[in-house]
Amino acid sequence: MDEPLPIDTGTSAEGQVPVASDDPVARVLIDHPVPHLARVFDYAVPAKLAEAALPGVRVRVKFAGKLRDGYLLERVSSSEHLGPLATLQRLSGPVQVLGPELLALCEATARRYGGTLADVLRLAIPPRHARGEKAVLRAEKARTEDADRGTPAQQGTATDDTGTQAAQAAAGIGEPEAQLLRRLAGWLLEAVPETTAPDDGPVPRRRTLACTPGPTPGLSWIRAGLAAARRTLAAGRSVLWLVPDHRELTVLHTSLVAAGIEDVSVLSADQPPEQRWQSWLRGLLGHTRVTIGTRAAAFAPMTELGLIICTDDANRNYLDQHAPYPHAREVSLLRSTIEDTELLFVSTERSAEVQRLAEIGWLADITPTGPARRNAAPVAHVPDEDRDPFAWQRIPSRAWQIMRTALRPRPRDGGVPGPVLVQVPRSGYYPVFACARCQEVARCPRCEATLTTQSEVGPFACRACGYHSEEFTCSRCRSHQVRAVVRGRARTVEELRRAMPDVEIIESGGEHIVTVLDEAPRLIVATTGAEPYVLGGYSAAILLDSLWPGPWMRSIDEAVSRRLRAAALVRSRDQGGVVYLGDEDELIRKTLTGFDPITFMSRQLADRKALGFPPYRRILELTGAGSDIDAVLSELGEVDELLRDEAEDGQRSVSAYPISAGDRVGTRVAEMTASRSAKKQPQVRVRIDDPRSL
């Protein structure tokens, strides 16, 4: 039998283009929105790009007749593809933007959330901006030349002023308010630093802290994080600090500048493209030792990263609304493990996920307890319907008394006057509603408790017995129309102005959100989440109406978090701080009275563990046609379906699976999505661990 003729397997390029002599094959991840096409393909490296085509650079390649972006993952000596390869067309900049650690983090995130690597990279790496890149590379060249000459590098500006200006612009901050911010930072730094470790023994590498107002109401999270950051910087490592929105970003940056911490870079999706790309590159090239930002900064590259700080991890702003919908808290946990860094979760409340990690010992809980915690929190008053005949009113007599005392304390009481916060529900929120035709207050058909809804069109639910309905029907006149009973911010301001005509009233909410105010006695009426920081803290807070966020499992968690964040802006009881709580819910009352979110969350977790609910199991939410959902679940075969209901575009299915199967299920879901895409089958939208799935 004749031997087969030898086959030339050497790499060649289309059009007989000369290829690189060493490792002529580039493995390129195509940035494509179609799942089955967002994968790695082999391309030939032309000889002219042999030196510059390094792993991690962005490239442009021809794919399906069009030029597309991609990332060069690695260079290899040969390809399994038979025949000539298409060539790299050009490089999109000389910077190796996708390093090994960032690639590992993005791959872990894709597995965790059942998405494609291309989708995660789209969230992790901002769009390139050529002019901004050139400016950073010029600075890098100057640093290198200074290092070669043995002279100190010229830092330019110590902080990323353009990032601060962008954050201030996003927050609507002018120069007068910027001056107030600097005063706020000075007041913060005069206080004794918050401890972030036990008094004796080594500092835990991964820890969590639930703050109280203490000496600096509303800003204890900065004091705690600052103490941890200084330790890390003194050890020669860098710090990544995440905050939920641009208001906290602006306050934090001002405080870091006042504290004398150099090389601070601001990274946020609110920044213009040039500034955002510059901030991202500065972290990649080691020009900054501290990067602060919103959820967009969770993937920010840092050299010698030593500490990740995540503030208020339960905030909904940390959940990305782009596929595969990762949460910045989970990205921080993955990154801390992959890069072996310290981790600090600091907030006023305690999320279910962080509490579970503390209970199993993965996080060390360094929260103060006992009298020290109670004394650092304000005194909380709740309505007494038995003794106060006017407790049912919109603003009860006890609340009026607290406001007047805080604004004008009597000399014999020794109190210090100060601003008073009046918190009202956010716009469009219906904690109590009534029939629009007969004005009858809507009540649960099962237990007669008041119903709650998010909007005029539902869904409608009872927080007492769990009743849930997509449609409201009045028990008296059978009408389906509803109207709000709780008055909004504007109506509350009218009532306050009539009762206190000589007191200044400032509104914060909607399109006009105030970031910071001075210590002058006044009334501040703010919607939930729009409460301004106040120099010296509020002397009192009146928290009106119920803030139950809606008919889902974590609604009580969110209600407690909102109340605690508002109460944390009030002075401690040692400084005369008082909070009036208008909620009827006993869980909210107990948690606020003791200012103890840990006990509250621990009890919540005990119930969820017994039921097998998150965070003890992971949740898979599928939305699409019922038959397509059935096909996915039957093929997946490792999840337990908990519920299925109707959705706008078909049906919605919620299933649970063990945490130990997380990567396996995520990988399998991504493979099934790509397979259905390749077969041109209808897609099913996938969301893993969405807090509002249940």
Side-chain angles (χ1 to χ4, degrees), residues 31 126 135 197 221 297 371 423 446 461 474 480 486 568 604 622 656 666 670 687:
D31 184 3
W221 60 274
Q423 186 194 57
R446 291 181 185 170
C474 178
H480 302 298
V486 173
Q604 292 290 103
L622 303 175
R687 297 195 73 155

Side-chain angles (χ1 to χ4, degrees), residues 255-546:
S255 302
L256 292 176
V257 172
I261 294 182
E262 298 182 348
D263 303 327
V264 179
S265 186
V266 178
L267 184 59
S268 169
D270 294 325
Q271 292 173 300
E274 181 177 358
Q275 294 175 1
R276 185 181 177 190
W277 185 236
Q278 283 183 320
S279 297
W280 197 90
L281 282 182
R282 291 181 71 223
L284 176 68
L285 300 176
H287 294 190
T288 177
R289 299 182 64 201
V290 179
T291 293
I292 62 176
T294 53
R295 68 168 183 252
F299 296 93
M302 301 286 293
T303 58
E304 296 293 325
L305 180 61
L307 172 66
I308 301 173
I309 304 174
C310 185
T311 303
D312 190 13
D313 70 283
N315 196 296
R316 67 174 65 180
N317 289 336
Y318 281 126
L319 182 65
D320 206 302
Q321 296 305 309
H322 299 87
Y325 315 105
H327 196 289
R329 175 189 56 241
E330 303 304 317
V331 176
S332 299
L333 290 167
L334 290 171
R335 186 168 187 177
S336 174
T337 303
I338 292 171
E339 301 189 32
D340 191 26
T341 71
E342 293 186 25
L343 183 62
L344 172 63
F345 288 107
V346 57
S347 60
T348 304
E349 73 282 2
R350 177 61 58 81
S351 69
E353 289 76 11
V354 167
Q355 180 62 23
R356 185 187 73 87
L357 292 174
E359 291 184 357
I360 66 176
W362 200 88
L363 288 172
D365 194 347
I366 56 173
T367 302
T369 58
R373 181 169 185 84
R374 287 192 296 272
N375 292 336
V379 176
H381 294 284
V382 297
D384 188 346
E385 294 83 357
D386 295 333
R387 296 185 178 182
D388 185 0
F390 302 102
W392 57 272
Q393 291 182 333
R394 161 72 171 167
I395 302 180
S397 56
R398 184 65 181 277
W400 287 112
Q401 179 185 356
I402 290 173
M403 280 190 281
R404 292 189 177 97
T405 303
L407 292 169
R408 302 185 187 91
R410 293 174 296 184
R412 66 184 183 187
D413 294 335
V416 178
V420 175
L421 171 66
V422 180
Q423 186 194 57
V424 296
R426 68 174 69 240
S427 178
Y429 186 74
Y430 286 44
V432 180
F433 66 96
C435 173
R437 179 189 295 174
C438 68
Q439 316 301 316
E440 179 79 6
V441 174
R443 297 192 176 276
C444 175
R446 291 181 185 170
C447 67
E448 292 298 316
T450 55
L451 287 176
T452 303
T453 182
Q454 282 282 86
S455 67
E456 294 179 353
V457 295
F460 307 95
C462 173
R463 58 182 170 180
C465 70
Y467 170 80
H468 180 275
S469 175
E470 295 296 324
E471 184 181 66
F472 165 74
T473 302
C474 178
S475 59
R476 187 184 205 180
C477 68
R478 314 308 294 174
S479 170
H480 302 298
Q481 302 299 314
V482 302
R483 69 171 184 84
V485 172
V486 173
R487 301 182 181 98
R489 188 179 74 243
R491 179 60 176 169
T492 302
V493 170
E494 289 180 9
E495 291 184 15
L496 293 173
R497 283 196 174 128
R498 285 199 301 267
M500 299 181 174
D502 57 339
V503 176
E504 180 187 7
I505 299 177
I506 293 180
E507 295 184 62
S508 180
E511 296 182 356
H512 178 66
I513 297 178
V514 182
T515 300
V516 61
L517 293 169
D518 61 24
E519 63 272 38
R522 51 163 73 97
L523 289 173
I524 295 94
V525 182
T527 54
T528 306
E531 303 90 352
Y533 290 101
V534 166
L535 189 66
Y538 291 94
S539 58
I542 310 299
L543 310 182
L544 296 176
D545 305 323
S546 172

Side-chain angles (χ1 to χ4, degrees), residues 568-589:
L569 297 167
V570 182
R571 301 167 187 169
S572 66
R573 67 180 62 200
D574 294 339
Q575 298 175 314
V578 178
V579 171
Y580 181 86
L581 184 64
D583 288 88
E584 298 179 0
D585 194 293
E586 282 300 319
L587 279 175
I588 299 178
R589 288 186 176 187

Side-chain angles (χ1 to χ4, degrees), residues 628-688:
D628 295 323
I629 293 176
D630 291 337
V632 171
L633 290 177
S634 62
E635 189 175 349
L636 193 58
E638 200 170 354
V639 299
D640 299 324
E641 188 172 20
L642 302 179
L643 64 89
R644 186 178 297 200
D645 52 21
E646 297 298 321
E648 292 182 1
D649 47 356
Q651 294 183 352
R652 186 182 73 102
S653 169
V654 179
S655 304
Y657 58 97
I659 293 177
S660 58
D663 282 0
R664 187 166 60 253
V665 170
T667 301
R668 184 64 185 135
V669 165
E671 292 173 350
M672 292 169 59
T673 301
S675 174
R676 295 181 66 86
S677 172
K679 297 174 183 176
K680 300 187 183 302
Q681 295 175 333
Q683 281 293 359
V684 175
R685 193 188 71 176
V686 177
R687 297 195 73 155
I688 292 180

Side-chain angles (χ1 to χ4, degrees), residues 94-364:
V95 183
Q96 293 172 268
V97 295
L98 184 57
E101 290 179 335
L102 180 57
L103 177 59
L105 176 61
C106 292
E107 288 175 336
T109 304
R111 290 192 301 270
R112 170 73 171 79
Y113 286 98
T116 66
L117 179 57
D119 282 342
V120 179
L121 288 173
R122 215 170 291 129
L123 303 177
I125 304 177
R128 177 176 179 261
H129 193 283
R131 184 176 59 194
E133 183 176 290
K134 289 178 181 178
V136 176
L137 292 181
R138 281 196 301 268
E140 173 68 10
K141 183 179 179 181
R143 286 163 60 97
T144 303
E145 291 174 351
D146 289 339
D148 292 340
R149 290 194 300 265
T151 57
Q154 297 296 320
Q155 297 292 337
T157 57
T159 60
D160 186 359
D161 293 330
T162 57
T164 305
Q165 292 167 4
Q168 290 184 358
I173 294 175
E175 182 55 32
E177 199 165 3
Q179 294 178 3
L180 270 178
L181 273 172
R182 290 190 284 271
R183 283 187 60 199
L184 190 77
W187 165 65
L188 166 71
L189 297 172
E190 290 174 0
V192 179
E194 187 88 12
T195 178
T196 58
D199 294 334
D200 53 350
V203 177
R205 286 182 55 77
R206 298 183 178 101
R207 51 203 184 274
T208 177
L209 171 68
C211 295
T212 54
T216 53
L219 298 175
S220 295
W221 60 274
I222 295 183
R223 295 169 58 229
L226 188 57
R230 279 175 167 155
R231 259 196 318 272
T232 302
L233 295 172
R237 307 291 296 277
S238 58
V239 176
L240 174 63
W241 196 331
L242 303 179
V243 293
D245 61 38
H246 56 76
R247 290 202 310 151
E248 278 71 29
L249 193 62
T250 305
V251 175
L252 174 59
H253 187 271
T254 305
S255 302
L256 292 176
V257 172
I261 294 182
E262 298 182 348
D263 303 327
V264 179
S265 186
V266 178
L267 184 59
S268 169
D270 294 325
Q271 292 173 300
E274 181 177 358
Q275 294 175 1
R276 185 181 177 190
W277 185 236
Q278 283 183 320
S279 297
W280 197 90
L281 282 182
R282 291 181 71 223
L284 176 68
L285 300 176
H287 294 190
T288 177
R289 299 182 64 201
V290 179
T291 293
I292 62 176
T294 53
R295 68 168 183 252
F299 296 93
M302 301 286 293
T303 58
E304 296 293 325
L305 180 61
L307 172 66
I308 301 173
I309 304 174
C310 185
T311 303
D312 190 13
D313 70 283
N315 196 296
R316 67 174 65 180
N317 289 336
Y318 281 126
L319 182 65
D320 206 302
Q321 296 305 309
H322 299 87
Y325 315 105
H327 196 289
R329 175 189 56 241
E330 303 304 317
V331 176
S332 299
L333 290 167
L334 290 171
R335 186 168 187 177
S336 174
T337 303
I338 292 171
E339 301 189 32
D340 191 26
T341 71
E342 293 186 25
L343 183 62
L344 172 63
F345 288 107
V346 57
S347 60
T348 304
E349 73 282 2
R350 177 61 58 81
S351 69
E353 289 76 11
V354 167
Q355 180 62 23
R356 185 187 73 87
L357 292 174
E359 291 184 357
I360 66 176
W362 200 88
L363 288 172

Side-chain angles (χ1 to χ4, degrees), residues 8-84:
D8 182 14
T9 58
T11 301
S12 61
E14 293 177 350
Q16 297 182 345
V17 175
V19 297
S21 56
D22 296 327
D23 294 333
V25 178
R27 308 204 70 214
V28 177
L29 173 70
I30 304 297
D31 184 3
H32 203 291
V34 179
H36 74 279
L37 299 178
R39 59 186 181 90
V40 177
F41 293 87
D42 289 348
Y43 284 85
V45 180
K48 64 180 181 180
L49 298 179
E51 297 293 328
L54 301 174
V57 298
R58 275 179 167 143
V59 295
R60 295 277 285 175
V61 296
K62 276 192 175 181
F63 186 82
K66 296 182 179 179
L67 274 179
R68 284 204 171 271
D69 293 320
Y71 294 93
L72 199 162
L73 299 185
E74 61 177 335
R75 294 263 299 267
V76 295
S77 58
S78 62
S79 171
E80 295 181 358
H81 176 78
L82 297 179

